Amino acid sequence: MAVNRMFRICPSTGLSYHEPAEKLIRWNAVAGVVSLLVGGILALLIILTRWQAVHLLPPDWFYLVLTVHGLDMLVFWIIFFEIAVLYFCASTLLRCRLAAPRWAWTAFVLMVAGALINNYSVFRGDSSVMFTSYAPMGAHPTFYLGLILFAVGALIGCFVFFGTLVLAKNEKTYRGSVPLVTFGAVTAAIIAVFTIASGAIILIPTFLWSVGLVDHIDSLMYRTVWWAFGHSAQQVNVAAHVSVWYAIAAIVFNAKPMSEKVSRTAFLLYILFLQLASAHHLLADPGLTSNWKIFNTSYAMYLAVLASMVHGLTVPGSIEVAQREKGFNNGLFEWLRRAPWGNPCFSALFISLIGFGFLGGISGVMMGTEQLNLIIHNTIYVPGHFHATVVIGTTLAFMGLTYFLIPTLFRRELMFPGLAKWQPYVFGLGMCGFSLFMMGAGTLGVPRRHWDMSFAGNPLGYEFPGMAYLMMALMAICGLAAIVGGAMYLLITVGSVFLGKKIETPGFAYVRAKDGVAPTTRPVEVAFETHGTNIGTAGFAAPGTFVLAMVFLVAFVLYYFVNWKYLSTVWPLS
């Protein structure tokens, strides 16, 4: 028997919002932004401590703040937003009712409870074990319990997403195969299931150890399994933000991928190989063979790198093709010069793509080489790399998508539109400088985890060159600029959602589930339906993008071999 469900048709985009899905997307996004707010405040304290001229916090407070910042930013903010993206890609893009809304709300409650419990555990003062929480360092049991509850909630959210895909298939709410953006979300969800399973394998025994039911946690075993969770969680982010890239390209330009089959194959490579990059955190660990390290971080990981390079070519390539179809054909780069740089959706996408590729991607491959890893392992280069991937790549892409969701999902006019035009530049360029100078300081040996790079008061002190202090100062200045950009984003989003002028839209329309949602004029929705797209097979359709790709390749090769030259300077020490 068919069940009546309520859908809302967005008049400006034609997207179909199922009422339970719409509410869940909103609340997950809001919870993510709250986590971003807390993490951003703590980021300010960390920057002012690592800036040697200021050195704000004492060591106990520094490690406490660093722990909460890492978890709120790398886990809670991003995964809350990713669950919202999953529901959007399954229910809204496929015009389908959300499967099991009660389970989805249960997932949300578990995630909120887990985040609150984990934050409380650290702020109470006895769980300053940082994001990695390496055994035998022990945290309060509630630290692990909070992470477990959050992970269970996220896993349920993934299953609701998969169930919605099954409903959409059975009820035939879409034509052909799922849109590419939804396919990317499927990739993220599959990797998420692997990630959460890895976390359960190690965090549940560690929780039992914290309450005294398990006698011992082997530190090498912990690190090996934990990084299957810790690094793979960031691979979920990569798949999710690449999907957002394709979505924004469709929203802003009505762009379609240059070859949908190639893009889908690249997502498949993510599923098969991306998690193997976790091994680059273990290259200095004893007990793991060189054969295992080299295979995981070289031959296998290169296939994941190939996938990212494909996306890095086809996303701007699809934009170039769409722009050239509009008549921007003069020279190699008129399509780029005439792009809507004042649209924060686009500017966030482009800075995210360039920063992720040139800073995060190149540095990640360098770190994934066993020999080169030794010269930057556990230096501040490492957080420089993952700020380039997770913050410039993922967070900035999510910020760009937010500017589309505020009027279409929250039905509010954007407040401070002039400020919104500048926000991606302030945040994105500030974070680019932050990551770049952090990696420069790490190349000079500045430690990743130590509270005081001067080692003042230690019997075996070490004096870094003056350039290292300069790099850290420039890092801090750029970091402060990025925090200003983050504050601009929070002001715009929170102000718009709660105080912005409401956009009047037609009420919910009752539509039988078996009939799906009746098609209407859907200017944006049609852009997501990219089935069979194969642009430019008869000629060279995106020459400007190809030139940019060659610039990237030259930078990649030069930086890679510069690091081999740098490594050669330490060989005489052996």
Side-chain angles (χ1 to χ4, degrees):
M1 179 178 179
V3 179
N4 285 338
R5 300 288 178 181
M6 291 188 290
F7 292 87
R8 175 178 65 85
I9 309 300
C10 176
S12 60
T13 63
L15 293 172
S16 308
Y17 289 99
H18 182 224
E19 185 182 26
E22 183 176 33
K23 292 179 179 178
L24 282 158
I25 295 169
R26 287 179 180 177
W27 279 104
N28 276 281
V30 168
V33 169
V34 171
S35 299
L36 180 66
L37 171 62
V38 176
I41 294 171
L42 300 178
L44 175 62
L45 302 179
I46 294 169
I47 288 171
L48 294 178
T49 303
R50 290 310 304 258
W51 189 355
Q52 201 64 27
V54 180
H55 213 46
L56 179 66
L57 296 176
D60 54 343
W61 270 99
F62 173 76
Y63 291 113
L64 185 153
V65 166
L66 187 60
T67 301
V68 182
H69 168 75
L71 290 164
D72 279 351
M73 293 301 219
L74 289 172
V75 178
F76 303 138
W77 140 247
I78 287 182
I79 294 181
F80 269 123
F81 202 95
E82 283 169 350
I83 292 296
V85 169
L86 291 184
Y87 294 159
F88 175 83
C89 290
S91 177
T92 303
L93 293 189
L94 300 183
R95 305 190 296 279
C96 176
R97 60 191 174 96
L98 187 72
R102 291 183 179 179
W103 277 109
W105 281 112
T106 301
F108 177 74
V109 170
L110 286 172
M111 291 170 69
V112 170
L116 291 174
I117 290 171
N118 183 267
N119 273 253
Y120 164 76
S121 177
V122 182
F123 276 120
R124 71 196 299 270
D126 57 359
S127 298
S128 300
V129 291
M130 295 183 285
F131 173 69
T132 49
S133 57
Y134 287 146
M137 286 193 302
H140 190 272
T142 53
F143 177 91
Y144 307 107
L145 178 62
L147 287 177
I148 292 169
L149 290 175
F150 186 87
V152 170
L155 187 62
I156 294 172
C158 291
F159 289 148
V160 170
F161 167 76
F162 290 128
T164 305
L165 295 180
V166 174
L167 277 179
K169 183 71 173 178
N170 292 339
E171 297 175 359
K172 299 179 181 179
T173 63
Y174 63 93
R175 301 184 295 272
S177 56
V178 297
L180 180 62
V181 175
T182 304
F183 189 86
V186 172
T187 301
I190 291 172
I191 298 174
V193 171
F194 168 86
T195 300
I196 295 167
S198 301
I201 290 171
I202 196 60
L203 288 175
I204 292 176
T206 309
F207 168 72
L208 297 175
W209 168 69
S210 70
V211 297
L213 297 179
V214 171
D215 293 332
H216 174 68
I217 296 290
D218 181 79
S219 59
L220 179 59
M221 180 275 296
Y222 178 95
R223 282 172 54 84
T224 303
V225 180
W226 189 92
W227 276 113
F229 159 75
H231 196 272
S232 296
Q234 314 319 315
Q235 314 302 1
V236 180
N237 305 337
V238 172
H241 80 236
V242 169
S243 300
V244 169
W245 288 350
Y246 283 110
I248 293 176
I251 291 165
V252 177
F253 298 95
N254 197 26
K256 301 180 185 299
M258 300 181 71
S259 172
E260 189 174 352
K261 291 181 179 179
V262 171
S263 296
R264 289 176 187 264
T265 302
F267 276 122
L268 180 62
L269 290 176
Y270 276 167
I271 296 173
L272 297 176
F273 299 106
L274 198 56
Q275 296 82 267
L276 299 178
S278 305
H280 83 238
H281 293 278
L282 306 170
L283 294 180
D285 283 28
L288 300 172
T289 67
S290 291
N291 290 339
W292 181 87
K293 294 175 182 178
I294 292 172
F295 176 79
N296 279 275
T297 60
S298 298
Y299 304 109
M301 191 183 75
Y302 291 158
L303 294 172
V305 173
L306 172 64
S308 289
M309 295 179 75
V310 167
H311 294 308
L313 182 67
T314 188
V315 172
S318 66
I319 293 172
E320 179 177 356
V321 170
Q323 285 284 83
R324 289 184 181 278
E325 288 178 350
K326 296 175 183 176
F328 302 130
N329 288 307
N330 294 328
L332 288 173
F333 297 114
E334 186 191 20
W335 64 274
L336 192 57
R337 294 194 309 271
R338 300 289 295 274
W341 292 100
N343 183 334
C345 291
F346 169 72
S347 58
L349 156 67
F350 200 82
I351 297 171
S352 168
L353 191 150
I354 296 298
F356 177 81
F358 278 85
L359 297 178
I362 293 175
S363 62
V365 174
M366 194 279 284
M367 289 171 58
T369 304
E370 184 180 18
Q371 300 91 331
L372 297 179
N373 184 275
L374 297 177
I375 62 179
I376 50 87
H377 178 77
N378 226 20
T379 69
I380 206 166
Y381 187 105
V382 178
H385 156 74
F386 63 66
H387 277 83
T389 56
V390 179
V391 184
I392 301 174
T394 305
T395 294
L396 190 55
F398 288 175
M399 287 177 173
L401 184 64
T402 304
Y403 293 117
F404 167 76
L405 293 177
I406 287 173
T408 60
L409 172 65
F410 290 92
R411 289 178 280 173
R412 299 282 181 173
E413 290 185 5
L414 197 67
M415 291 187 70
F416 314 113
L419 201 63
K421 291 181 181 180
W422 288 101
Q423 186 274 326
Y425 297 101
V426 177
F427 180 82
L429 298 180
M431 191 53 63
C432 285
F434 179 82
S435 300
L436 186 64
F437 290 121
M438 193 181 287
M439 288 189 283
T443 303
L444 296 174
V446 175
R448 171 184 179 183
R449 301 176 185 273
H450 202 281
W451 162 75
D452 182 5
M453 67 176 282
S454 70
F455 297 98
N458 288 281
L460 298 175
Y462 178 80
E463 184 61 35
F464 286 99
M467 182 58 70
Y469 288 93
L470 176 61
M471 289 283 185
M472 294 296 286
L474 293 173
M475 174 211 73
I477 293 170
C478 291
L480 294 176
I483 288 174
V484 170
M488 293 165 63
Y489 169 78
L490 291 168
L491 175 64
I492 295 163
T493 54
V494 174
S496 300
V497 168
F498 292 103
L499 301 175
K501 183 180 178 181
K502 189 171 183 179
I503 299 174
E504 298 298 332
T505 59
F508 288 105
Y510 288 92
V511 181
R512 289 193 306 170
K514 72 173 185 177
D515 296 330
V517 178
T520 60
T521 302
R522 341 187 274 279
V524 169
E525 190 180 30
V526 168
F528 288 108
E529 297 178 352
T530 55
H531 316 304
T533 307
N534 197 23
I535 297 170
T537 52
F540 197 46
T545 300
F546 180 77
V547 171
L548 294 177
M550 290 300 100
V551 171
F552 173 82
L553 180 61
V554 170
F556 197 153
V557 171
L558 289 177
Y559 185 73
Y560 193 73
F561 283 100
V562 162
N563 277 276
W564 277 102
K565 178 65 171 65
Y566 181 54
L567 176 66
S568 70
T569 63
V570 304
W571 286 344
L573 298 178
S574 62

